[in-house]
Amino acid sequence: AVLQAGLLKEGMCAVQDESAGFVVSVVDPQPGETIMDCCAAPGGKTLFMASRLAGQGKVSALDINKGRLRILMEAAKCHNLDDIITDIHGDLRLYAKESTVKYDKVLLDAPCSGLGVLSKRADLRWNRQFEDLEELVCLQDELLDSASLCW
Ligand SMILES: C[S@@+](CC[C@H](N)C(=O)[O-])C[C@H]1O[C@@H](n2cnc3c(N)ncnc32)[C@H](O)[C@@H]1O
């Protein structure tokens, strides 16, 4: 019924995993706050956080992937949240070194192995190598350090 009524297309509602939404409850965005979403695209959490600001405050959505960031801003427009969300295209590690801007709250949803969702991504059982995980842990560590500089 939601699909047939066009509610998703019109930005009247969005679908999200309970666990993804729970992260936003932890951030607990309050009107007037500035929030940095460090690995934001495609933007499920960005949109949810922006909608919780009730028109006051800003969410900066940073991501290294331009295409995914474009999808995020299209969704922001569709949900009438594009005046609350600012997209920043770049590598968080460089951004954090160069920028002096500080935010009230910072969310880091770093790239992950996906091993926690094997029931949905069965292919990962065969596509993940041990070396990939080592590389990923190193990246997550660097991103965590960089995210801490935004606060
Ligand atoms: C788990 S996904 C984020 C999902 C997103 N938070 C959401 O709720 O829709 C991880 C994201 O990190 C981005 N990423 C990977 N390395 C990055 C880096 N060095 N700097 C910024 N973003 C990065 C990827 O492009 C990817 O979009």
Side-chain angles (χ1 to χ4, degrees), residues 39-45 62-65 68 90-92 109-111 143:
C39 287
K45 298 177 191 77
L62 183 145
D63 205 280
I64 201 167
N65 187 314
R68 280 162 71 93
D91 186 324
L92 175 65
D109 188 11
L143 293 174

Side-chain angles (χ1 to χ4, degrees), residues 16 20 24 37-47 62-66 68-69 72 88-95 107-112 139 142-143:
Q16 188 159 66
V24 174
D37 191 352
C38 288
C39 287
K45 298 177 191 77
T46 315
L47 293 179
L62 183 145
D63 205 280
I64 201 167
N65 187 314
K66 209 171 189 172
R68 280 162 71 93
L69 208 49
L72 184 156
I88 304 172
H89 175 232
D91 186 324
L92 175 65
R93 294 166 293 184
L94 295 181
Y95 173 86
L107 172 65
L108 174 66
D109 188 11
C112 65
L139 173 64
E142 289 174 1
L143 293 174

Side-chain angles (χ1 to χ4, degrees), residues 8 79-80 83 87 99 105 130 143 145:
L8 283 175
H79 287 264
N80 278 325
D83 51 344
D87 59 327
S99 171
K105 290 175 178 168
F130 186 69
L143 293 174
D145 282 345

Side-chain angles (χ1 to χ4, degrees), residues 27-104:
V27 177
D28 192 22
Q30 297 295 322
E33 286 181 341
T34 58
I35 302 175
M36 165 55 98
D37 191 352
C38 288
C39 287
K45 298 177 191 77
T46 315
L47 293 179
F48 192 14
M49 290 194 292
S51 70
R52 295 270 299 261
L53 292 179
Q56 296 164 51
K58 289 275 174 210
V59 180
S60 292
L62 183 145
D63 205 280
I64 201 167
N65 187 314
K66 209 171 189 172
R68 280 162 71 93
L69 208 49
R70 196 176 317 120
I71 293 171
L72 184 156
M73 287 314 289
E74 278 165 15
K77 226 177 204 162
C78 180
H79 287 264
N80 278 325
L81 291 167
D82 49 329
D83 51 344
I84 299 277
I85 299 171
T86 306
D87 59 327
I88 304 172
H89 175 232
D91 186 324
L92 175 65
R93 294 166 293 184
L94 295 181
Y95 173 86
K97 261 190 209 152
E98 288 164 6
S99 171
T100 53
V101 181
K102 301 289 174 200
Y103 297 83
D104 296 320

Side-chain angles (χ1 to χ4, degrees), residues 123-138:
D123 59 300
L124 292 177
R125 280 188 178 84
W126 299 279
N127 292 338
R128 282 278 181 256
Q129 308 294 326
F130 186 69
E131 300 77 52
D132 298 339
L133 294 186
E134 284 182 326
E135 221 172 274
L136 197 56
V137 168
C138 185

Side-chain angles (χ1 to χ4, degrees), residues 2-3 6-15 78-79:
V2 169
L3 283 179
L7 298 182
L8 283 175
K9 253 189 183 167
E10 288 169 23
M12 301 294 285
C13 63
V15 178
C78 180
H79 287 264

